[in-house]
Amino acid sequence: MRTTRPIRRAFPAALLAVLLAACSSTSDSAAPPPASASPSASPSPTPKPTGADDPALKVFYTQQIAWAPCADDPKTEKIDESAFQCGRLKVPLDYADPAGEGVEVALSRKPATGADRLGSLLLNPGGPGGSGIEQLEYSGDAYKDLNARYDLVGFDPRGVGASTAVHCMDDAAHDTWALSDDRPDDHGKALADACAANSGKLLPHVGTVDAARDLDVLRGALGDPKLNYLGFSYGTYLGSSYAEQFPDRTGRLVLDGAVDPTADQLDLLVQQFAGFEKSLKAFAADCTKQAQCPLGKDPDKAAQKLASFLDGLHDHPMKVGKDRKLTETAGWSGTLSMLYGDQKSWEYLRNAIGWAMVGKKGDYLLAMADGYNGRDENGHYSNMFDAYTAIHCADPGAETPGADRLQAALAAAHQQAPLVSAHFTEKELFDPDCRSWPYRSTEQPHVVKAVGSAPILVVGSTGDPATPYAWSEKLAAGFANATLLTREGDGHTAYNKSGCIRDAVNGFLINGTMPAAGTRCPTS
């Protein structure tokens, strides 16, 4: 049995830039990926929660965050962590029992550089499972105009990274899980059992609804009357949940690379398969135009040639180093991960594929797969995948579909993405596999209206494989008060891929100027 191509709800967009930087410093390697969400027959919007006005929660909203210079990380030679302030936010494990056990949310802040400060701007890179602390610290000058007016605040949501985190598998188990082409049929139960054993108390409380409530506590603790927020990929789902629960506390919200909250896991996966198929073909066609392309010069055959090579790794994995292999799963992971970037990242992928196909060396593609899976050069995994699974399975839309629907979805995948899904069976439609998960949300996927919110800016990219453009259109149309801004071009999310988009987003966040409806920007 062949394992799934690793396509996730919403890969942390900021991590791609980090890995591309690593690529350029080592030679030609690098990277990471994906997103999740179909109309619900019985919509169940989140009930409006209490907040600072609840006496039981006042202690959380009024807490003083103890900011201090962030500790130096020897792994980040080019980053001065002392330029950032770190702190921790205390929140209830269970908002229904605020006097009970608590959890902590890890924070990083870069104070505003200008005198005319507007307040705090919270950032989320996606995932679920992406670290906002890493996003901020690796961002360089990407947000310098925003930083002139805002304190930039990165946070690791509950269950993630340096916060009270979900931990399921050890590194050896992660290696098998992430890179093996032949997972056992009960792999989903094995993961669920491991998560329950190591993080059982946390699992019912790591969903996006609770993370959005943490955002409101953080807003209060920062002293901001309204939430200003820039969320990418899955971060749009988190921002949408906040707007739904706290519409009267929304300030300026930008949601870039939107997740469709009306769709369930199965519909999202099939739509993502189609998105990556389109991007794979675009990459392969572009490759044939370059001076050196391992896929030949025929644009009609190039994508099939690449897919055949990657599929062939199942029976003939490529040895890498002393004890590692480039498997089919790893090859596809590394390849699809680089499609998160725009055409600038395609050069790295083209070189890595040539290195493997012509040079018979799979180290660059394997490095890309490692970046996607959160594996460092010492074989240690971050908790990104554990957190992704736990949050995804705790959110709406993770129910087990019936046999007829599975068959229909599989047929749709084969039809819409014949290269990406060539060897798929029903098992590959469970990503992650939540069938044995010990906790399920009672909420259903639904249209998020956020009636009463401030104007919200939704940003979508026409060639986004991970969060297809139709999702941004759908999210924007569902909101009671939103505008859609469009980037014409490939790659996941838009802010760091287009000066036109960046100027429009900055104008909204800094001056409150909403771009005109129907505005479309090129990639440049």
Side-chain angles (χ1 to χ4, degrees):
M1 296 292 290
R2 302 199 177 194
T3 191
T4 184
R5 313 282 189 252
I7 295 177
R8 298 180 183 166
R9 170 181 281 186
F11 174 78
L15 189 52
L16 180 62
V18 179
L19 292 167
L20 286 177
C23 281
S24 57
S25 65
T26 56
S27 185
D28 299 306
S29 72
S36 144
S38 165
S40 169
S42 54
S44 57
T46 305
K48 183 171 172 37
T50 58
D53 52 340
D54 185 342
L57 294 175
K58 184 176 181 180
V59 65
F60 297 102
Y61 276 86
T62 59
Q63 66 186 287
Q64 297 293 308
I65 300 170
W67 296 105
C70 296
D72 179 66
D73 184 349
K75 294 183 294 184
T76 56
E77 297 179 1
K78 297 181 180 180
I79 297 175
D80 179 12
E81 280 82 2
S82 66
F84 302 88
Q85 300 171 345
C86 283
R88 300 186 75 79
L89 180 80
K90 296 178 180 178
V91 292
L93 170 66
D94 181 356
Y95 275 93
D97 182 22
E101 194 170 344
V103 295
E104 292 187 344
V105 175
L107 311 171
S108 178
R109 179 172 70 173
K110 192 175 184 181
T113 58
D116 194 8
R117 178 181 174 276
L118 290 171
S120 305
L121 178 66
L122 276 60
L123 305 172
N124 182 271
S131 168
I133 292 176
E134 291 184 0
Q135 176 193 20
L136 181 57
E137 292 182 351
Y138 280 98
S139 63
D141 293 331
Y143 308 114
K144 68 177 182 179
D145 292 339
L146 296 173
N147 196 199
R149 304 295 301 278
Y150 285 102
D151 294 342
L152 301 181
V153 179
F155 61 97
D156 288 359
R158 58 169 61 205
V160 175
S163 295
T164 303
V166 173
H167 292 288
C168 303
M169 298 182 290
D170 60 22
D171 291 335
H174 267 297
D175 258 346
T176 299
W177 187 273
L179 302 173
S180 173
D181 289 338
D182 298 290
R183 294 182 193 165
D185 289 339
D186 65 347
H187 68 279
K189 184 177 187 307
L191 176 60
D193 290 347
C195 292
N198 294 310
S199 298
K201 284 186 180 180
L202 197 53
L203 298 185
H205 306 290
V206 294
T208 301
V209 167
D210 282 324
R213 297 198 66 172
D214 294 345
L215 282 187
D216 198 55
V217 173
L218 177 55
R219 175 201 58 77
L222 292 170
D224 293 317
K226 305 285 184 179
L227 178 76
N228 300 308
Y229 177 83
L230 175 56
F232 299 91
S233 202
Y234 160 80
T236 68
Y237 188 70
L238 177 59
S240 299
S241 181
Y242 182 88
E244 182 175 54
Q245 296 185 75
F246 305 101
D248 57 325
R249 299 171 205 172
T250 54
R252 297 170 184 172
L253 269 62
V254 178
L255 309 178
D256 182 359
V259 172
D260 176 9
T262 72
D264 66 10
Q265 172 182 324
L266 195 56
D267 285 335
L268 287 172
L269 278 175
V270 173
Q271 292 169 40
Q272 283 186 318
F273 295 155
F276 277 95
E277 181 91 4
K278 179 181 175 182
S279 291
L280 186 77
K281 290 179 177 178
F283 160 75
D286 179 79
C287 181
T288 64
K289 301 174 185 177
Q290 308 306 318
Q292 293 184 329
C293 175
L295 305 178
K297 294 299 180 182
D298 187 340
D300 295 326
K301 297 179 180 179
Q304 180 63 69
K305 185 173 182 179
L306 173 56
S308 296
F309 167 73
L310 296 173
D311 288 341
L313 294 170
H314 181 270
D315 294 326
H316 303 284
M318 196 169 287
K319 184 177 180 181
V320 176
K322 292 182 178 180
D323 55 3
R324 303 196 69 200
K325 294 179 180 179
L326 179 68
T327 60
E328 177 193 16
T329 297
W332 274 103
S333 296
T335 299
L336 297 183
S337 74
M338 295 305 286
L339 299 180
Y340 276 77
D342 57 18
Q343 292 188 14
K344 295 176 184 177
S345 72
W346 290 2
E347 179 182 358
Y348 295 101
L349 178 57
R350 189 169 64 248
N351 290 336
I353 290 171
W355 191 244
M357 292 181 69
V358 180
K360 307 301 180 184
K361 296 182 178 180
D363 46 341
Y364 287 140
L365 272 180
L366 185 59
M368 293 173 179
D370 285 345
Y372 167 84
N373 289 310
R375 186 188 195 273
D376 67 21
E377 60 186 8
N378 297 315
H380 176 64
Y381 284 82
S382 72
N383 94 312
M384 183 171 63
F385 180 76
D386 289 349
Y388 160 78
T389 303
I391 296 168
H392 187 100
C393 291
D395 274 353
E399 293 83 4
T400 302
D404 290 346
R405 185 146 183 258
L406 276 174
Q407 280 297 316
L410 188 61
H414 288 321
Q415 193 225 345
Q416 297 174 35
L419 300 179
V420 171
S421 68
H423 302 288
F424 279 11
T425 64
E426 289 182 6
K427 187 171 78 170
E428 278 72 46
L429 298 178
F430 295 101
D431 179 28
D433 189 344
C434 299
R435 287 174 291 180
S436 299
W437 204 251
Y439 169 78
R440 292 289 177 88
S441 171
T442 58
E443 190 177 356
Q444 295 295 314
H446 60 274
V447 174
V448 174
K449 297 182 179 179
V451 175
S453 77
I456 296 171
L457 179 58
V458 178
V459 186
S461 299
T462 57
D464 191 325
T467 52
Y469 179 65
W471 295 2
S472 292
E473 291 181 304
K474 202 162 188 178
L475 180 66
F479 279 130
N481 190 2
T483 296
L484 176 63
L485 174 65
T486 301
R487 177 179 70 92
E488 302 275 4
D490 297 302
H492 183 41
T493 72
Y495 183 83
N496 288 316
K497 296 181 176 70
S498 167
C500 171
I501 293 288
R502 192 160 48 250
D503 289 345
V505 169
N506 289 353
F508 173 65
L509 288 172
I510 294 171
N511 302 314
T513 305
M514 181 67 77
T519 298
R520 302 179 83 87
C521 289
T523 295
S524 61

